[in-house]
Amino acid sequence: MFFARILRGAGFEVNVLFGAENPGVEAWKRIPQAQFNLVVSPWVGIKNAEHLQKKYNQPYLHIPEIPVGEEATAKFIRQVVEYAGIDKAQSEQFIRQEADIYYYYLEHFSEFFAEYWYGMPSEFVVTADAAYKKGALFFEVATPSSETLVINRSHIGYRGALQFLERIYSASVGGR
C-alpha cells in the first residue's frame, strides 16, 4: 500500500496482491502480465520472485533496504525507474513534489524544536529487533509492536519518515 502510492506517483502501474488496495482474484490473475517483480526486503520475497522468474520469465529487482526519508526514497524511486526503463519525467516531478512537502514539515518542525528542546531526552533507541539501553527512549519500528497498534501506518518513504519523527517527538514529551 505504501510502496504502491510511491510507485504510482513515479509512473508505474502497480498490481497489489495483499492489503486494502487488493482488488481480489483479478490481481492474482494478472501476475503473468507483470513486466518485472519488485522485492523490497533484506529477508523475504526472493524465493517467490525467483519462482516467478522461472515460471513466467519475469525478471525481478531486489532492493534490500526499506526507503525511509527523502534521500533513501528518491534513490529507491530512481533505482526502480532505471531498472524498468521508463521515462523519468513523471518520477522526477513526483520526487520534487514529495521532497517539497517533506522539507516543508521538517524545516518548520526543526525551527520549533530548536526553540523548545530543553528538557527533552538526549538519547534514543530505535530498533527493529531487540536492543535496549537503560534510560534511553525506546521505539519499536517493526511489527508486531508490543506498545503500539499499527493498522494503516508505515515508516516507508517521505510520509513515513515524518510519521516516525512525530512518534519520536510525542514520546519525548511524554505521549505515546
PDB file of all heavy atoms in Angstrom, residues 1-10 14 21 94 98 157-159:
ATOM      1  N   MET A   1       0.822  -1.183   0.000  1.00  0.00           N
ATOM      2  CA  MET A   1       0.000   0.000   0.000  1.00  0.00           C
ATOM      3  C   MET A   1       0.873   1.257   0.000  1.00  0.00           C
ATOM      4  O   MET A   1       0.654   2.162  -0.771  1.00  0.00           O
ATOM      5  CB  MET A   1      -0.916  -0.042   1.219  1.00  0.00           C
ATOM      6  CG  MET A   1      -1.902   1.070   1.277  1.00  0.00           C
ATOM      7  SD  MET A   1      -3.247   0.672   2.371  1.00  0.00           S
ATOM      8  CE  MET A   1      -2.781   1.594   3.778  1.00  0.00           C
ATOM      9  N   PHE A   2       1.866   1.299   0.885  1.00  0.00           N
ATOM     10  CA  PHE A   2       2.722   2.477   0.956  1.00  0.00           C
ATOM     11  C   PHE A   2       3.663   2.523  -0.237  1.00  0.00           C
ATOM     12  O   PHE A   2       3.917   3.578  -0.792  1.00  0.00           O
ATOM     13  CB  PHE A   2       3.480   2.493   2.283  1.00  0.00           C
ATOM     14  CG  PHE A   2       2.552   2.474   3.463  1.00  0.00           C
ATOM     15  CD1 PHE A   2       2.299   1.309   4.155  1.00  0.00           C
ATOM     16  CD2 PHE A   2       1.875   3.625   3.840  1.00  0.00           C
ATOM     17  CE1 PHE A   2       1.415   1.294   5.224  1.00  0.00           C
ATOM     18  CE2 PHE A   2       0.987   3.622   4.894  1.00  0.00           C
ATOM     19  CZ  PHE A   2       0.753   2.444   5.586  1.00  0.00           C
ATOM     20  N   PHE A   3       4.172   1.359  -0.619  1.00  0.00           N
ATOM     21  CA  PHE A   3       5.003   1.304  -1.815  1.00  0.00           C
ATOM     22  C   PHE A   3       4.172   1.599  -3.055  1.00  0.00           C
ATOM     23  O   PHE A   3       4.650   2.232  -3.987  1.00  0.00           O
ATOM     24  CB  PHE A   3       5.687  -0.059  -1.961  1.00  0.00           C
ATOM     25  CG  PHE A   3       6.861  -0.232  -1.045  1.00  0.00           C
ATOM     26  CD1 PHE A   3       6.822  -1.150  -0.017  1.00  0.00           C
ATOM     27  CD2 PHE A   3       8.015   0.524  -1.210  1.00  0.00           C
ATOM     28  CE1 PHE A   3       7.898  -1.324   0.825  1.00  0.00           C
ATOM     29  CE2 PHE A   3       9.098   0.365  -0.368  1.00  0.00           C
ATOM     30  CZ  PHE A   3       9.041  -0.560   0.659  1.00  0.00           C
ATOM     31  N   ALA A   4       2.936   1.136  -3.086  1.00  0.00           N
ATOM     32  CA  ALA A   4       2.079   1.351  -4.255  1.00  0.00           C
ATOM     33  C   ALA A   4       1.878   2.838  -4.511  1.00  0.00           C
ATOM     34  O   ALA A   4       1.940   3.289  -5.653  1.00  0.00           O
ATOM     35  CB  ALA A   4       0.737   0.650  -4.064  1.00  0.00           C
ATOM     36  N   ARG A   5       1.656   3.631  -3.461  1.00  0.00           N
ATOM     37  CA  ARG A   5       1.475   5.077  -3.630  1.00  0.00           C
ATOM     38  C   ARG A   5       2.726   5.712  -4.229  1.00  0.00           C
ATOM     39  O   ARG A   5       2.644   6.525  -5.151  1.00  0.00           O
ATOM     40  CB  ARG A   5       1.149   5.733  -2.281  1.00  0.00           C
ATOM     41  CG  ARG A   5       0.809   7.212  -2.401  1.00  0.00           C
ATOM     42  CD  ARG A   5       0.742   7.902  -1.048  1.00  0.00           C
ATOM     43  NE  ARG A   5       2.054   8.215  -0.522  1.00  0.00           N
ATOM     44  CZ  ARG A   5       2.808   9.239  -0.942  1.00  0.00           C
ATOM     45  NH1 ARG A   5       2.383  10.042  -1.895  1.00  0.00           N
ATOM     46  NH2 ARG A   5       3.990   9.467  -0.412  1.00  0.00           N
ATOM     47  N   ILE A   6       3.876   5.319  -3.721  1.00  0.00           N
ATOM     48  CA  ILE A   6       5.136   5.874  -4.220  1.00  0.00           C
ATOM     49  C   ILE A   6       5.364   5.458  -5.669  1.00  0.00           C
ATOM     50  O   ILE A   6       5.723   6.283  -6.514  1.00  0.00           O
ATOM     51  CB  ILE A   6       6.306   5.421  -3.318  1.00  0.00           C
ATOM     52  CG1 ILE A   6       6.190   6.085  -1.939  1.00  0.00           C
ATOM     53  CG2 ILE A   6       7.651   5.736  -3.962  1.00  0.00           C
ATOM     54  CD1 ILE A   6       7.120   5.509  -0.898  1.00  0.00           C
ATOM     55  N   LEU A   7       5.151   4.191  -5.971  1.00  0.00           N
ATOM     56  CA  LEU A   7       5.379   3.702  -7.334  1.00  0.00           C
ATOM     57  C   LEU A   7       4.390   4.294  -8.330  1.00  0.00           C
ATOM     58  O   LEU A   7       4.762   4.631  -9.453  1.00  0.00           O
ATOM     59  CB  LEU A   7       5.346   2.175  -7.358  1.00  0.00           C
ATOM     60  CG  LEU A   7       6.507   1.504  -6.614  1.00  0.00           C
ATOM     61  CD1 LEU A   7       6.246   0.012  -6.454  1.00  0.00           C
ATOM     62  CD2 LEU A   7       7.819   1.765  -7.316  1.00  0.00           C
ATOM     63  N   ARG A   8       3.134   4.431  -7.945  1.00  0.00           N
ATOM     64  CA  ARG A   8       2.153   5.075  -8.834  1.00  0.00           C
ATOM     65  C   ARG A   8       2.547   6.522  -9.104  1.00  0.00           C
ATOM     66  O   ARG A   8       2.452   7.009 -10.231  1.00  0.00           O
ATOM     67  CB  ARG A   8       0.753   5.003  -8.237  1.00  0.00           C
ATOM     68  CG  ARG A   8       0.125   3.647  -8.355  1.00  0.00           C
ATOM     69  CD  ARG A   8      -1.330   3.665  -7.895  1.00  0.00           C
ATOM     70  NE  ARG A   8      -1.832   2.319  -7.838  1.00  0.00           N
ATOM     71  CZ  ARG A   8      -2.172   1.674  -6.722  1.00  0.00           C
ATOM     72  NH1 ARG A   8      -2.089   2.292  -5.542  1.00  0.00           N
ATOM     73  NH2 ARG A   8      -2.599   0.435  -6.765  1.00  0.00           N
ATOM     74  N   GLY A   9       2.966   7.209  -8.069  1.00  0.00           N
ATOM     75  CA  GLY A   9       3.400   8.591  -8.232  1.00  0.00           C
ATOM     76  C   GLY A   9       4.572   8.714  -9.181  1.00  0.00           C
ATOM     77  O   GLY A   9       4.714   9.711  -9.890  1.00  0.00           O
ATOM     78  N   ALA A  10       5.412   7.683  -9.224  1.00  0.00           N
ATOM     79  CA  ALA A  10       6.583   7.682 -10.104  1.00  0.00           C
ATOM     80  C   ALA A  10       6.242   7.261 -11.530  1.00  0.00           C
ATOM     81  O   ALA A  10       7.094   7.314 -12.404  1.00  0.00           O
ATOM     82  CB  ALA A  10       7.652   6.754  -9.535  1.00  0.00           C
ATOM     83  N   VAL A  14       0.696  -0.501 -10.774  1.00  0.00           N
ATOM     84  CA  VAL A  14       1.061  -1.399  -9.688  1.00  0.00           C
ATOM     85  C   VAL A  14      -0.043  -2.435  -9.484  1.00  0.00           C
ATOM     86  O   VAL A  14      -1.218  -2.088  -9.400  1.00  0.00           O
ATOM     87  CB  VAL A  14       1.283  -0.607  -8.373  1.00  0.00           C
ATOM     88  CG1 VAL A  14       1.684  -1.533  -7.239  1.00  0.00           C
ATOM     89  CG2 VAL A  14       2.332   0.481  -8.579  1.00  0.00           C
ATOM     90  N   GLU A  21      -5.785  -2.377  -0.789  1.00  0.00           N
ATOM     91  CA  GLU A  21      -5.860  -1.989  -2.199  1.00  0.00           C
ATOM     92  C   GLU A  21      -5.961  -3.184  -3.147  1.00  0.00           C
ATOM     93  O   GLU A  21      -6.069  -3.006  -4.352  1.00  0.00           O
ATOM     94  CB  GLU A  21      -4.642  -1.147  -2.579  1.00  0.00           C
ATOM     95  CG  GLU A  21      -4.638   0.214  -1.936  1.00  0.00           C
ATOM     96  CD  GLU A  21      -3.507   1.064  -2.465  1.00  0.00           C
ATOM     97  OE1 GLU A  21      -3.252   1.053  -3.677  1.00  0.00           O
ATOM     98  OE2 GLU A  21      -2.878   1.764  -1.651  1.00  0.00           O
ATOM     99  N   PHE A  94       7.395  13.806  -9.297  1.00  0.00           N
ATOM    100  CA  PHE A  94       6.873  13.245  -8.053  1.00  0.00           C
ATOM    101  C   PHE A  94       7.891  13.420  -6.926  1.00  0.00           C
ATOM    102  O   PHE A  94       7.531  13.824  -5.811  1.00  0.00           O
ATOM    103  CB  PHE A  94       6.526  11.765  -8.246  1.00  0.00           C
ATOM    104  CG  PHE A  94       6.015  11.093  -7.003  1.00  0.00           C
ATOM    105  CD1 PHE A  94       4.738  11.331  -6.543  1.00  0.00           C
ATOM    106  CD2 PHE A  94       6.828  10.216  -6.297  1.00  0.00           C
ATOM    107  CE1 PHE A  94       4.265  10.702  -5.396  1.00  0.00           C
ATOM    108  CE2 PHE A  94       6.370   9.588  -5.158  1.00  0.00           C
ATOM    109  CZ  PHE A  94       5.085   9.831  -4.698  1.00  0.00           C
ATOM    110  N   GLU A  98       7.112  15.531  -3.522  1.00  0.00           N
ATOM    111  CA  GLU A  98       7.184  14.886  -2.213  1.00  0.00           C
ATOM    112  C   GLU A  98       8.295  15.493  -1.358  1.00  0.00           C
ATOM    113  O   GLU A  98       8.122  15.680  -0.156  1.00  0.00           O
ATOM    114  CB  GLU A  98       7.400  13.381  -2.378  1.00  0.00           C
ATOM    115  CG  GLU A  98       6.210  12.648  -2.951  1.00  0.00           C
ATOM    116  CD  GLU A  98       5.046  12.568  -1.986  1.00  0.00           C
ATOM    117  OE1 GLU A  98       5.229  12.081  -0.853  1.00  0.00           O
ATOM    118  OE2 GLU A  98       3.933  12.987  -2.375  1.00  0.00           O
ATOM    119  N   GLY A 157       9.153   5.684   3.070  1.00  0.00           N
ATOM    120  CA  GLY A 157       9.039   6.838   2.200  1.00  0.00           C
ATOM    121  C   GLY A 157       9.094   8.176   2.897  1.00  0.00           C
ATOM    122  O   GLY A 157       9.533   8.312   4.036  1.00  0.00           O
ATOM    123  N   TYR A 158       8.628   9.184   2.175  1.00  0.00           N
ATOM    124  CA  TYR A 158       8.644  10.560   2.666  1.00  0.00           C
ATOM    125  C   TYR A 158       7.703  10.719   3.860  1.00  0.00           C
ATOM    126  O   TYR A 158       8.092  11.200   4.921  1.00  0.00           O
ATOM    127  CB  TYR A 158       8.197  11.527   1.563  1.00  0.00           C
ATOM    128  CG  TYR A 158       9.036  11.488   0.318  1.00  0.00           C
ATOM    129  CD1 TYR A 158       8.676  10.694  -0.764  1.00  0.00           C
ATOM    130  CD2 TYR A 158      10.190  12.258   0.211  1.00  0.00           C
ATOM    131  CE1 TYR A 158       9.445  10.674  -1.920  1.00  0.00           C
ATOM    132  CE2 TYR A 158      10.964  12.238  -0.936  1.00  0.00           C
ATOM    133  CZ  TYR A 158      10.588  11.442  -2.002  1.00  0.00           C
ATOM    134  OH  TYR A 158      11.342  11.405  -3.129  1.00  0.00           O
ATOM    135  N   ARG A 159       6.461  10.318   3.682  1.00  0.00           N
ATOM    136  CA  ARG A 159       5.452  10.496   4.730  1.00  0.00           C
ATOM    137  C   ARG A 159       5.732   9.622   5.938  1.00  0.00           C
ATOM    138  O   ARG A 159       5.484  10.013   7.071  1.00  0.00           O
ATOM    139  CB  ARG A 159       4.066  10.217   4.163  1.00  0.00           C
ATOM    140  CG  ARG A 159       3.678  11.234   3.112  1.00  0.00           C
ATOM    141  CD  ARG A 159       2.341  10.954   2.512  1.00  0.00           C
ATOM    142  NE  ARG A 159       2.082  11.893   1.425  1.00  0.00           N
ATOM    143  CZ  ARG A 159       0.954  11.944   0.773  1.00  0.00           C
ATOM    144  NH1 ARG A 159      -0.028  11.121   1.069  1.00  0.00           N
ATOM    145  NH2 ARG A 159       0.792  12.818  -0.198  1.00  0.00           N
TER     146      ARG A 159
END
